[in-house]
Amino acid sequence: MFNKMRKTKEKDVPVTKEEVLRHPMPNHVAIIMDGNGRWAKKRALPRAAGHYEGMQVVRKITRFANELGIQILSLYAFSTENWKRPKSEVDYLMKLPEQFLTTFLPELVAENVKVQVIGHAEALPDHTRRAVEKAVKETSGNTGLVLNFALNYGSRAEITAAVKQIAKDVERGMLAPEDITEPLISSYLMTSGLADPDLLIRTSGEIRLSNFMLWQLAYTELWFTDVLWPDFTEQHFLEAIAAYQRRDRRFGGVSAR
Ligand code: V07
């Protein structure tokens, strides 16, 4: 009883960076950055203002993840469903990669961050695709944090494309049906070469995956918060990692995998 109370009390103490650094870090953190529009609405600002503020948080959390020694940070920046939004909003969103990279690419290079992208890049406007390709190229030799942007990404579209390619390779005689294993399927996905996420964070109170990395998230710890993405801080990030570390300790060695 006494112990229980002490524990409850300790829970209210904010987690520190030092404490998080003392336990195993998740290798790969994925984030669904939701709530930018709601953040703007609450302030009677245009939705674009929320997206812009959200972009500043991407920079902040990228630097922090790198400092913590996280190896891969995957960010859901634009889904295949986002094309349904008003054209003016889509046009604005498609300018953000360039805007982000114009401001922060030198910093990413200096900090040894490697930019990667998953999603169907062919369908992006030329100006967006070119800016992203330049960043991928200029950081391809970097060995620090992998910053993986999901742009025009949808998990079912990804799995569909993988199944189609596997069928073609079987038809061409390059693969036998017996060769189709879970690792083989993983290797046909856009995340090929990246470990599966250890931790998924979703902001803004929605408790669903919204077509994000469905295959890759099979064993991932999920952490949801009501905090809107533009309000998300380093402290929230530490809380998510600490929750992951507590669960990992409890299941360590005897996990359900
Ligand atoms: C976008 C800001 C973050 C909140 C979520 C929606 C709005 C950064 C990028 C980006 C993408 C690729 C890249 C460099 C930066 C981005 C979109 C939206 C479409 F190589 N933030 N951000 N792209 N938002």
Side-chain angles (χ1 to χ4, degrees):
M1 185 56 191
F2 180 69
N3 265 337
K4 225 177 189 173
M5 288 176 68
R6 255 174 53 90
K7 232 180 182 172
T8 313
K9 227 178 174 182
E10 281 167 10
K11 251 190 183 167
D12 294 321
V13 177
V15 179
T16 64
K17 182 180 175 184
E18 290 64 37
E19 194 170 343
V20 160
L21 284 171
R22 266 187 253 121
H23 299 289
M25 208 53 77
N27 289 322
H28 183 174
V29 179
I31 310 182
I32 302 177
M33 308 179 288
D34 203 4
N36 305 284
R38 211 177 308 165
W39 181 92
K41 193 171 183 183
K42 270 182 27 184
R43 287 165 176 73
L45 293 170
R47 288 175 65 82
H51 296 316
Y52 183 85
E53 201 57 32
M55 186 176 78
Q56 308 304 317
V57 177
V58 168
R59 184 229 184 190
K60 180 175 74 183
I61 296 302
T62 299
R63 295 189 70 175
F64 194 53
N66 203 12
E67 269 176 45
L68 291 174
I70 287 166
Q71 286 163 20
I72 308 165
L73 182 65
S74 288
L75 302 176
Y76 206 1
F78 193 88
S79 79
T80 48
E81 283 75 41
N82 286 159
W83 295 110
K84 294 178 196 148
R85 294 190 180 175
K87 184 178 184 299
S88 58
E89 188 177 346
V90 171
D91 288 349
Y92 182 79
L93 285 166
M94 285 301 139
K95 287 182 190 142
L96 287 182
E98 282 153 282
Q99 205 173 347
F100 180 92
L101 294 166
T102 302
T103 318
F104 303 129
L105 184 56
E107 190 174 297
L108 296 176
V109 171
E111 289 168 358
N112 199 25
V113 173
K114 182 174 178 163
V115 177
Q116 293 194 4
V117 188
I118 57 170
H120 287 280
E122 328 78 70
L124 298 174
D126 284 345
H127 64 96
T128 310
R129 195 173 34 77
R130 275 197 295 267
V132 171
E133 277 171 5
K134 176 172 170 274
V136 170
K137 204 169 150 202
E138 283 186 20
T139 63
S140 64
N142 287 355
T143 55
L145 175 77
V146 172
L147 178 57
N148 179 39
F149 284 104
L151 258 187
N152 193 27
Y153 174 86
S155 189
R156 287 186 173 187
E158 173 191 42
I159 293 169
T160 304
V163 170
K164 198 173 284 177
Q165 190 58 49
I166 290 168
K168 281 183 183 168
D169 289 349
V170 169
E171 194 175 40
R172 285 198 301 164
M174 289 178 57
L175 267 185
E178 301 77 53
D179 297 332
I180 303 173
T181 58
E182 291 183 12
L184 179 114
I185 293 173
S186 293
S187 78
Y188 276 74
L189 299 177
M190 291 165 168
T191 47
S192 170
L194 298 178
D196 289 338
D198 302 292
L199 170 64
L200 172 83
I201 297 171
R202 182 172 187 153
T203 58
S204 193
E206 309 295 345
I207 316 294
R208 40 191 152 83
L209 297 181
S210 300
N211 205 18
F212 187 54
M213 292 198 183
L214 300 178
W215 173 276
Q216 296 87 340
L217 294 173
Y219 296 106
T220 303
E221 294 289 345
L222 309 178
W223 193 82
F224 299 94
T225 175
D226 289 339
V227 172
L228 308 178
W229 179 249
D231 293 327
F232 193 80
T233 63
E234 284 101 336
Q235 190 58 46
H236 296 121
F237 197 60
L238 287 176
E239 298 290 346
I241 295 172
Y244 161 83
Q245 291 175 329
R246 284 193 291 268
R247 295 178 201 173
D248 200 48
R249 272 208 297 287
R250 264 185 291 133
F251 295 114
V254 288
S255 81
R257 268 178 220 206

